[in-house]
Amino acid sequence: VQLDRDIDRTPFSGIAEEVRAAGGYEYVRVGDRWAVGLAKDLAPGDALTVKPLGIARDFASRRTGDRYDTLWFAVLTPNARP
């Protein structure tokens, strides 16, 4: 995987609108962005913070069979549940 690491690494937060489990990873849609990181047992509706490490463009996931125009490789951190 070719990662572009010359990116703005400012963390962003949001709601997991869609979650796809893939082995030890989770693909999560937050707004209009897709991110992938180590599995954290996220569910749709969960609040999380995404700390970007790099992005891949035109990424095809062998685990899910999905293709992503832009995929953020990141540390996914669930926010505390109330």
Side-chain angles (χ1 to χ4, degrees), residues 15-21 26-31 33-35 42-45 48 66 68:
I15 301 298
E17 296 178 30
E18 198 173 336
V19 179
R20 297 177 183 165
E26 285 180 331
Y27 292 75
V28 181
R29 183 168 59 88
V30 179
R33 298 188 242 190
W34 277 96
L42 291 166
L48 74 147
D66 296 310
Y68 303 89

Side-chain angles (χ1 to χ4, degrees), residues 31-80:
D32 63 349
R33 298 188 242 190
W34 277 96
V36 63
L38 295 177
K40 300 291 184 178
D41 295 323
L42 291 166
D46 284 352
L48 74 147
T49 298
V50 178
K51 181 180 177 188
L53 302 173
I55 58 172
R57 291 181 175 78
D58 194 29
F59 181 82
S61 169
R62 285 181 269 174
R63 292 181 187 261
T64 67
D66 296 310
R67 181 172 291 283
Y68 303 89
D69 291 334
T70 302
L71 181 64
W72 295 77
F73 284 73
V75 175
L76 307 175
T77 305
N79 294 348

